[in-house]
Amino acid sequence: MIIPKLALRNLLGAGLRTWLNVVVLSFAFVVIIWTQGLYEGMNAQAERASVDAALGGGQYWQEKYDPLDVFSLEDAHAIVPDSLGAMIAANRATAILVVQGTLYPKGRIHPVMIKGIDPDQQLLSLPSHFLKTGEDRFPALIGSRMAKSTGLKVGDTVTMRWRDAHGTFDARDVEIVQVMKTIVPSIDQGQVWIPLDRLRILAGMEEEAGLVVVAQGALERPEAPGWVFRDLDFLLSDIKQLVRMKSAGAAILYFVLILLAMLAIFDTQVLSIFRRKKEMGTLMAFGFTRGRVIRLFTLEGALHGVLAAVVAALYGIPFLTWFARRGWALPEAMDSYGFAIGEKLFPVYSAGLVVATTLLVLVITTIVSFLPTRKIAKLKPTDALRGRMS
Amino acid sequence: MENSYLIETRDLVKTYPMGEHTIVALDKVNLKFEKAEFTGLVGPSGSGKTTLLNIIGSLDSPTSGSAVVMGRKVEGLSHKQASALRNHHIGFIFQTFNLLPVYTVFENVEFPLLLLDYSAAERRKMTMVALDWVGLADRTRSKPAQLSGGQSQRVAIARAVVKKPALILADEPTANLDAENSHHILQTMERLNRDLGTTFVFATHDEKVIDYLRRKITLFDGAVAKDERMEPQRPGGEKR
Ligand SMILES: Nc1ncnc2c1ncn2[C@@H]1O[C@H](COP(=O)(O)OP(=O)(O)OP(=O)(O)O)[C@@H](O)[C@H]1O
Ligand SMILES: [Mg+2]
């Protein structure tokens, strides 16, 4: 009972020095949670954007379809089964046909996936309505990254070559009707979107598709022989993989921030504890055992962490809440992060993050206080009383 | 009869290694102190007074020889046992005060009581009594940094006597006090000595202290040069 009382007394008695430490630590708290929240928000946003623009509520894949294996695409198409056809007719799904092809922008060769999509679909945020042109034009839709890497602009005409169902190559010119600004790389990089009907004709794949995207919220999962249903967990797994890889980077940032905060604490803690050698000697002279001295000074250090958590909560909660509501308008340059990023980023603070950060800071302040204290408490009281650094 | 001595040292030696030499701080000190003595250690600077007080107070252990304090062999005490001995029975007054800087005067004096089983009310009462003795009852809320040297010294004295220990070891307790305060403090100590049988061992150069002593031990180069019983020179002291 006496130890906590004295620890608190020491802490508050030290006044400014304590509060300086506490403020530095609390700052570390808030910055860590803030940056990690932004980061988690970024990931959540990337996932949501992918779902909205490309993944829907899940996808039926023709059993040979594998977006990671370009050579499998040749065979990855089949007539849409009636069960899925019914869903498509009811606007609860939309078909996509994928054919391997090549663009020749300004004479250069650019391998692409030609994707046929229904210009009238509204189930994905992908702006397929730009493909609604007259029969006299042959529209194609690309993303901004694709536009950048091919040098194509709206209104440009480019030669597109594809391989049809019989393995024969054919080519024709298409007109870029729109460059869409999307944050989802999977519908942008190396993709050319054209109307589904026209691709079916060009490729000789009438009534066929490579995948059927189910609407978000459509719960039925009809049997479709020769087709496999891929749920969002599966479809998001490579995004999640990417997130996990990037998380290693984020963990380093997290670690560096903690380290910086700890350095500040360690510095003041070690200095003050060595400066307080004489004080420890005095405590021992009055009958404090070593264990008690160690407990007192360790608790005192750990209380810095507790106070910092309280102070951080005082200004951190309002700040972080305000920030989460307001979002963060990202500068253009952030796009080169190569990730799906929205115009505005909304941080996500998970309870796990807050708890883990708090615990980590507490544990580290405790250790940082314990180590130098233990060293001094090992001294003979007379040596500690002499009080000089050694 | 051995047990009747409060403190007994036998061939007490303390040396400090100093490069190739060793400094002999105490050289075969044999001393016996009875309960309720009022004794001073005198001698030139470096003669070993502080070192002897530290060993008696179980803050330090001898290089060889033995010191028995209240029936316990200091050199054989575990760290915890030594802490308990100091906690219950010994009060220290340090040459350099060693007040706890972030505590108020009251908290400094109260501190030794926190380790003992006193209620808050008892602690408060005892602390105020001790502060009264040293004439600082009106400075309870001050911090050590706001006190003069003499006031700090008096707080240190109050802290040593507050728990009414059996033994008080006082290293130059009057070094920073003016004559009036010195006499007042010494008279208080004399009264404690007489009323409660508290044993006092001083290390001092101060003639004013020496005047109150009933026994004067002179150390020279770590050895006992003289050990004299004497009558207190200050009649006022005995009467009050
Ligand atoms: N920790 C130490 N290391 C080395 N030498 C020491 C140590 N402590 C004391 N000494 C030496 O032991 C001798 C006795 O010192 P001590 O402090 O007991 O003297 P003192 O009689 O109290 O002197 P003063 O009147 O100046 O306080 C001195 O020579 C001192 O230098
Ligand atoms: Mg001395």
Side-chain angles (χ1 to χ4, degrees), chain B residues 109-185:
Chain B
V109 175
E110 182 198 26
F111 180 76
L113 302 177
L114 289 175
L115 290 172
L116 301 164
D117 285 332
Y118 290 108
S119 70
E122 285 172 310
R123 287 202 306 268
R124 175 152 195 93
K125 203 171 146 226
M126 292 167 79
T127 304
M128 288 316 292
V129 167
L131 280 170
D132 242 354
W133 282 335
V134 298
L136 283 175
D138 56 339
R139 296 300 299 266
T140 50
R141 287 161 183 275
S142 304
K143 291 273 175 86
Q146 301 163 329
L147 301 176
S148 71
Q151 288 167 331
S152 299
Q153 183 79 281
R154 281 143 70 194
V155 175
I157 291 167
R159 181 177 63 177
V161 302
V162 69
K163 67 185 174 193
K164 306 204 177 90
L167 173 62
I168 290 180
L169 303 171
D171 204 348
E172 305 285 2
T174 54
N176 292 280
L177 300 183
D178 57 27
E180 192 186 337
N181 268 313
S182 295
H183 287 300
H184 176 71
I185 296 283

Side-chain angles (χ1 to χ4, degrees), chain A residues 2 5-7 9-14 17 276 278-279 281-292 296 377 379-383 385-386, chain B residues 14 16 54 58-61 79-80 83-84 86-87 90-92 94 96 98-103 107 110-112 114-115 123 143 159-160 163:
Chain A
I2 161 182
K5 182 177 165 174
L6 292 180
R9 192 183 272 183
N10 284 344
L11 203 65
L12 300 180
R17 184 156 50 87
R276 291 168 68 190
K278 196 168 187 169
E279 194 178 326
T282 309
L283 297 183
M284 293 186 218
F286 282 98
F288 254 59
T289 57
R290 274 174 203 166
R292 266 191 156 150
L296 173 61
L379 294 175
K380 267 190 299 187
T382 36
D383 290 332
L385 274 169
R386 211 162 287 122
Chain B
K14 180 73 185 178
Y16 294 103
N54 283 343
S58 78
L59 292 175
D60 207 348
S61 43
H79 172 78
K80 274 197 168 154
S83 297
R86 295 194 294 266
N87 184 11
I90 303 178
F92 290 94
F94 296 102
T96 49
N98 291 3
L99 299 180
L100 301 171
V102 305
Y103 293 6
E107 288 164 345
E110 182 198 26
F111 180 76
L114 289 175
L115 290 172
R123 287 202 306 268
K143 291 273 175 86
R159 181 177 63 177
K163 67 185 174 193

Side-chain angles (χ1 to χ4, degrees), chain A residues 114-128:
Chain A
I114 305 166
K115 288 188 170 165
I117 188 167
D118 176 7
D120 289 313
Q121 70 79 27
Q122 299 198 332
L123 195 142
L124 297 176
S125 67
L126 189 141
S128 54

Side-chain angles (χ1 to χ4, degrees), chain A residues 197-354:
Chain A
D197 292 349
R198 316 244 336 226
L199 182 58
R200 280 173 168 167
I201 297 168
L202 293 183
M205 299 175 187
E206 297 290 342
E207 306 295 317
E208 293 192 15
L211 61 150
V212 173
V213 182
V214 174
Q216 292 184 57
L219 295 176
E220 67 267 41
R221 301 281 179 264
E223 283 292 312
W227 293 67
V228 190
F229 182 73
R230 303 295 192 187
D231 62 9
L232 282 181
D233 272 350
F234 178 90
L235 295 171
L236 285 169
S237 66
D238 43 329
I239 282 199
K240 287 196 168 130
Q241 184 94 35
L242 198 60
V243 164
R244 228 169 287 131
M245 266 160 53
K246 300 255 177 192
S247 290
I252 291 173
L253 180 71
Y254 187 90
F255 187 73
V256 166
L257 282 170
I258 295 248
L259 209 70
L260 280 180
M262 286 314 129
L263 217 63
I265 292 302
F266 190 70
D267 206 50
T268 41
Q269 228 7 58
V270 169
L271 262 182
S272 74
I273 282 176
F274 275 99
R275 208 176 329 115
R276 291 168 68 190
K277 212 166 151 181
K278 196 168 187 169
E279 194 178 326
M280 292 193 207
T282 309
L283 297 183
M284 293 186 218
F286 282 98
F288 254 59
T289 57
R290 274 174 203 166
R292 266 191 156 150
V293 172
I294 292 173
R295 266 176 308 197
L296 173 61
F297 277 68
T298 304
L299 182 62
E300 205 183 308
L303 280 177
H304 279 105
V306 175
L307 279 186
V310 172
V311 170
L314 282 185
Y315 68 81
I317 290 175
F319 167 73
L320 295 175
T321 321
W322 168 79
F323 195 81
R325 254 195 230 123
R326 191 182 152 275
W328 188 20
L330 287 161
E332 201 67 21
M334 281 293 274
D335 199 37
S336 61
Y337 191 59
F339 225 85
I341 297 172
E343 325 250 271
K344 242 184 177 191
L345 193 52
F346 291 93
V348 173
Y349 313 112
S350 63
L353 170 66
V354 175

Side-chain angles (χ1 to χ4, degrees), chain B residues 55-56 58-62 67-69 72-77 85:
Chain B
I55 292 176
I56 291 172
S58 78
L59 292 175
D60 207 348
S61 43
V68 179
V69 177
R72 298 166 184 81
K73 267 197 175 149
V74 167
E75 66 276 13
L77 293 181
L85 173 68

